[in-house]
Amino acid sequence: MDFDALILSRLQFAFTIAFHIIFPSFTIGLASYLAVLEGLWLVTKRDAFKTLYLFWVKIFAISFGMGVVSGVVLSYQLGTNWSVFSAVAAPVIGPLLAFEVLAAFFLEASFLGVMLFGWKKVGPGLHLTATTLVALGTLMSAFWIVSANSWMQHPTGFARLPDGTLRAVDWVQVIFSPTFPERFAHMVMAAYLTTALVVGAASAWRLLRKGREDESGLALRMAIGMFAIVAPLQLFVGDLSGKEVERLQPAKLAAIEAFWETRTHQPFHILAWPDREAEGNRFELSVPALGSVLTAGSASAEVKGLKAFAPADRPPVFIVFYAFRIMVALGVAMIGLGAWGAWLMWRTPGPEANRWFLRAAVAMGPAGFVAVICGWIVAEVGRQPYVIYGVLRTADAVSPVGAGQVSASLLGFMIVYAVIFTVGVLYILRLIAQGPERIAEAPLDPNRPPGSAMAAAPREAGR
């Protein structure tokens, strides 16, 4: 591989976005979880819900801040490393990213202060409203980012001007491109699964170390309920998204499944060793005809292989093939963990007392992050060699900079990220390991602001 400015710029963007996606995929789900916890606390008057809220809101604040910082870096790279892309596509992509800032980030930032510091300043209804609006803001942020990315996956509603730049002619088509509905649902459910797995792992860890703990037991059951329901739905939505890929991006689909020949009765390759030079797989562990059934709905359906496309138009196969299988394998494991946990919830003494299940829940804690990163690898690497599919090649979108400049900035990012994000993640893990602290206080009076009930709480249990 020739490490020129193009490859180095792609590696730099991949490196920074892999770090960034960890935090939004967690905070999107965690913000909604916090809104549910506060709402349940106000409705049921059960202090365990507030204890869990106070615990997870600290982790949310740190994760949100790290997500904002890492997201700003991506915006700068559009100018420093991908200036040609910015010049060509800014009239279409720019407003979508601006809407994300104006409609989503400003909403989050405005009410985040009330959410974090308003316990003694506002009433319970307003504080719940602030938490809910922060959660809504995270979902709106995901909406606009996925909308922009979906347009790049399958651009619609635009025209190319004589100077080569792009202009939107139908904003509805731009925002709601054909791949958007399934991809947005897929991303949001991935975020909820990621959060549920982290909450479940943290709660299981506490139960393994401390035995019975009401708050951890409650959080574990809530997490089980989430991934027991959402994980199977995610598999269904993922299948719908795959059908769209087969229709709109057949080269990506061929890379995902390591199909080389165009044929009916395509096999499903459980494992394979794709070889781009030989235009085939060195070995295959396959199920006959299942590939056509899964991708096109019928064994007799003809599915294109990579040889139907010019070599220059084929995405990398090996990394896409295995990233997809890791994502699917983790999804199946999530379904299994949810089914196991749901079964234990109907039995006595429940999942809190089953040490094998608790160990499995702890082991599955990072699975959501890994699955999200693998999903983005499939989406982005599978789109190659285009940055805007069928419109602008990645090689034509890079800035006119030298490899030395990009390598210096890449090395700088790696050093800074290694220090800052390692410290941040370790601090978050330390907070999670401490677990929720019970708050000794008078019974809840719904007419008082939430903060007034905390006045006598130990300092370490508050903010």
Side-chain angles (χ1 to χ4, degrees):
M1 182 181 294
D2 183 15
F3 286 91
D4 56 9
L6 172 62
I7 293 297
L8 290 170
S9 293
R10 288 178 60 187
L11 288 174
Q12 179 172 301
F13 201 85
F15 173 79
T16 51
I17 200 171
F19 270 89
H20 171 68
I21 197 63
I22 289 173
F23 299 104
S25 63
F26 182 44
T27 55
I28 290 170
L30 188 55
S32 296
Y33 180 57
L34 289 170
V36 170
L37 285 175
E38 186 170 9
L40 289 173
W41 170 54
L42 292 174
V43 170
T44 66
K45 314 299 188 293
R46 186 175 174 182
D47 286 339
F49 289 117
K50 186 176 76 169
T51 301
L52 288 170
Y53 181 97
L54 294 175
F55 170 60
W56 285 105
V57 76
K58 295 182 291 184
I59 296 167
F60 173 83
I62 300 169
S63 302
F64 183 86
M66 295 178 71
V68 170
V69 171
S70 58
V72 171
V73 172
L74 299 177
S75 301
Y76 277 107
Q77 284 184 78
L78 294 179
T80 58
N81 295 68
W82 304 99
S83 60
V84 177
F85 163 77
S86 298
V88 171
V92 180
I93 291 292
L96 301 183
L97 299 182
F99 290 151
E100 190 270 336
V101 174
L102 295 174
F105 182 71
F106 280 13
L107 179 64
E108 297 170 88
S110 298
F111 288 93
L112 183 65
V114 179
M115 175 182 171
L116 297 180
F117 307 112
W119 282 94
K120 298 181 181 180
K121 307 296 183 182
V122 301
L126 181 55
H127 193 275
L128 175 61
T129 301
T131 303
T132 303
L133 288 174
V134 170
L136 178 62
T138 62
L139 292 172
M140 291 176 61
S141 180
F143 175 94
W144 290 112
I145 295 301
V146 174
S147 175
N149 187 266
S150 297
W151 182 84
M152 293 167 64
Q153 298 285 343
H154 185 74
T156 54
F158 75 99
R160 187 189 291 271
L161 300 185
D163 62 359
T165 60
L166 308 179
R167 292 293 187 277
V169 297
D170 188 332
W171 280 107
V172 173
Q173 290 188 33
V174 170
I175 296 171
F176 300 99
S177 62
T179 65
F180 171 75
E182 293 88 353
R183 298 184 78 244
F184 177 63
H186 199 57
M187 181 65 216
V188 171
M189 286 195 288
Y192 285 166
L193 281 171
T194 298
T195 300
L197 289 166
V198 172
V199 171
S203 304
W205 175 260
R206 291 284 296 181
L207 291 168
L208 283 170
R209 296 186 62 190
K210 301 292 184 180
R212 288 284 180 176
E213 187 175 64
D214 291 342
E215 291 80 5
S216 295
L218 177 62
L220 178 66
R221 287 177 174 261
M222 294 178 73
I224 290 172
M226 176 60 72
F227 49 73
I229 296 171
V230 175
L233 290 176
Q234 182 74 312
L235 185 65
F236 173 74
V237 173
D239 180 68
L240 292 179
S241 182
K243 296 292 194 298
E244 286 295 294
V245 170
E246 192 273 334
R247 185 173 68 90
L248 301 174
Q249 295 179 309
K252 177 191 287 188
L253 187 278
I256 288 173
E257 302 296 348
F259 295 154
W260 294 93
E261 304 291 341
T262 300
R263 51 173 288 191
T264 62
H265 296 82
Q266 287 278 17
F268 174 73
H269 302 311
I270 301 171
L271 293 175
W273 190 274
D275 189 332
R276 295 185 70 181
E277 298 295 328
E279 295 187 319
N281 299 324
R282 293 186 185 181
F283 75 86
E284 300 170 352
L285 176 61
S286 308
V287 179
L290 185 59
S292 290
V293 174
L294 293 177
T295 57
S298 171
S300 60
E302 183 179 85
V303 181
K304 284 187 177 182
L306 287 163
K307 289 184 179 180
F309 307 93
D313 295 336
R314 299 172 188 170
V317 184
F318 190 92
I319 186 172
V320 175
F321 179 83
Y322 277 102
F324 179 79
R325 272 145 186 79
I326 292 171
M327 179 182 65
V328 172
L330 290 173
V332 172
M334 294 173 199
I335 293 173
L337 186 68
W340 187 9
W343 180 72
L344 290 173
M345 286 174 66
W346 289 97
R347 296 175 62 85
T348 303
E352 302 92 335
N354 189 305
R355 298 187 69 83
W356 283 107
F357 176 80
L358 296 177
R359 293 188 185 102
V362 172
M364 285 291 290
F369 299 112
V370 177
V372 167
I373 292 174
C374 286
W376 278 95
I377 289 173
V378 172
E380 301 306 297
V381 179
R383 183 180 57 196
Q384 299 304 315
Y386 294 99
V387 65
I388 304 176
Y389 194 74
V391 175
L392 180 64
R393 288 180 175 268
T394 307
D396 299 327
V398 70
S399 298
V401 295
Q405 295 171 296
V406 182
S407 60
S409 61
L410 174 58
L411 181 61
F413 278 125
M414 293 175 69
I415 294 173
V416 172
Y417 275 47
V419 175
I420 294 178
F421 285 98
T422 298
V423 172
V425 171
L426 288 176
Y427 182 60
I428 290 174
L429 291 175
R430 181 180 177 183
L431 289 176
I432 290 176
Q434 290 176 354
E437 297 288 342
R438 289 187 177 89
I439 300 174
E441 58 175 87
L444 175 67
D445 181 356
N447 296 318
R448 288 187 297 165
S452 63
M454 295 177 56
R459 181 172 181 176
E460 63 272 13
R463 292 179 205 290

